């Protein structure tokens, strides 16, 4: 399919473990976003890339969260020393351009459970 | 960011129209109104967006009040597949990123 692909679909981590979540955006999409969605809540913005440049990381909750997109396509969200409060669904979205009314395409997310 | 207010939940019957309201009394003149929906165990999905005029597409219609302080998403003939959480989102003028700010949304239940 040509949609946004995220892996793994589910991840169980022990508290203190590092995790890496992968996002494959739609080919050619310039903009890439990461969101965090807690159970029963709407998605919350984490960070935004335009090609390989991380232009906004204001939503990252702590310095344990790190995102990269080195070649302007695939992106990885890394969480170091995971805590129980990091348990959530992590959503990736991409869009073709960076105009205000450009629609976002979301992946199905990675559900992270920290025990 | 301007905020939106939506009912927590709504219920409708299959094959009937559904009108999902959204209040945004602090909307600015250049904010776009976006609607996304999230089916169970999936990421959000774009539905429709508009600025001032009513909009139609294959999924739904968007009716925007003349003063733009409210809008209504209209599903003309609901199916079971339309059961989802619907989010009404305001998108401020372009500042380098389209950072959508999701609220709690409206959980729509469709009865067979």
């Amino acid at each position: 399919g040509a949609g946004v692909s995220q892996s793994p679909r589910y991840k169980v981590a022990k508290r203190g473990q590092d995790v890496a979540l992968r996002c494959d955006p739609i080919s050619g999409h310039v903009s890439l976003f990461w969101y965090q969605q807690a159970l029963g809540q709407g998605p919350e913005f984490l960070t935004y890339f335009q090609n390989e440049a991380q232009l906004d990381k204001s939503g990252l909750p702590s310095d344990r969260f790190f995102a990269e997109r080195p070649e302007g396509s695939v992106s990885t969200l890394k969480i170091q020393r995971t805590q129980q409060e990091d348990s959530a669904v992590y959503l990736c979205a991409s869009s073709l351009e960076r105009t205000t009314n450009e629609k976002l395409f979301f992946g199905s997310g990675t559900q992270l459970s920290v025990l | 960011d301007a905020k939106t207010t939506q009912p927590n939940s709504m219920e409708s019957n299959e094959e009937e129209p559904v009108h999902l309201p959204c209040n945004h009394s602090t909307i600015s003149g250049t904010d776009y109104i976006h609607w996304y929906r999230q089916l169970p165990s999936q990421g959000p999905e774009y539905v429709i967006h508009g600025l001032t005029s009513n909009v139609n597409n294959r999924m739904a219609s968007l009716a925007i009040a003349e003063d733009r302080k409210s809008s209504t998403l209209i599903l003309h003939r609901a199916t079971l597949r339309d059961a989802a959480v619907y989010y009404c989102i305001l998108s401020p003028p372009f500042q380098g990123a389209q950072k959508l700010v999701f609220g709690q949304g409206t959980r729509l239940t469709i009865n067979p």
Side-chain angles (χ1 to χ4, degrees):
Chain A
V4 176
S5 178
Q6 292 188 247
S7 60
R9 187 72 176 89
Y10 302 93
K11 176 69 179 177
V12 179
K14 292 183 179 178
R15 192 159 57 103
Q17 187 178 353
D18 296 349
V19 298
L21 312 180
R22 177 187 169 104
C23 172
D24 282 86
I26 294 172
S27 178
H29 277 199
V30 169
S31 300
L32 185 144
F33 301 81
W34 283 98
Y35 283 80
Q36 180 190 58
Q37 186 170 24
L39 188 64
Q41 305 295 314
E44 291 194 2
F45 170 83
L46 293 178
T47 187
Y48 158 69
F49 290 85
Q50 183 185 316
N51 295 308
E52 69 278 4
Q54 189 175 19
L55 298 186
D56 187 343
K57 51 182 180 179
S58 62
L60 295 176
S62 77
D63 58 7
R64 296 186 295 104
F65 286 71
F66 172 76
E68 60 183 6
R69 193 187 185 197
E71 297 178 358
S73 55
V74 171
S75 177
T76 304
L77 177 66
K78 297 179 180 179
I79 308 173
Q80 298 176 325
R81 305 180 302 282
T82 53
Q83 304 295 316
Q84 284 188 323
E85 60 263 28
D86 300 334
S87 295
V89 175
Y90 291 86
L91 295 163
C92 176
S94 68
S95 67
L96 183 59
E97 295 179 357
R98 56 179 194 144
T99 55
T100 297
N101 57 347
E102 188 67 33
K103 61 184 178 184
L104 299 192
F105 294 84
F106 283 83
S108 295
T110 293
Q111 184 171 327
L112 173 65
S113 299
V114 181
L115 306 178
Chain B
D1 292 335
K3 292 188 177 181
T4 62
T5 304
Q6 300 177 252
N8 288 333
S9 62
M10 289 185 64
E11 199 169 325
S12 186
N13 297 319
E14 200 174 8
E15 299 186 4
E16 291 184 356
V18 180
H19 290 233
L20 295 162
C22 180
N23 288 320
H24 28 78
S25 58
T26 60
I27 190 171
S28 77
T30 51
D31 284 346
Y32 277 82
I33 302 162
H34 295 254
W35 284 81
Y36 281 74
R37 72 180 185 181
Q38 189 170 22
L39 281 68
S41 300
Q42 295 188 27
E45 171 189 34
Y46 168 84
V47 178
I48 200 166
H49 76 277
L51 184 61
T52 56
S53 303
N54 294 344
V55 184
N56 299 294
N57 66 22
R58 63 173 182 82
M59 289 182 69
S61 295
L62 176 60
I64 302 173
E66 195 169 335
D67 63 4
R68 300 207 334 123
K69 293 184 184 300
S70 66
S71 61
T72 302
L73 180 70
I74 303 166
L75 307 178
H76 294 286
R77 198 159 174 261
T79 69
L80 295 178
R81 195 196 172 277
D82 292 321
V85 178
Y86 286 77
Y87 297 98
C88 170
I89 304 163
L90 301 184
S91 178
F94 169 64
Q95 293 177 347
Q98 185 182 355
K99 185 172 74 177
L100 299 181
V101 179
F102 289 80
Q104 298 279 59
T106 296
R107 182 172 298 277
L108 176 64
T109 301
I110 303 297
N111 299 315

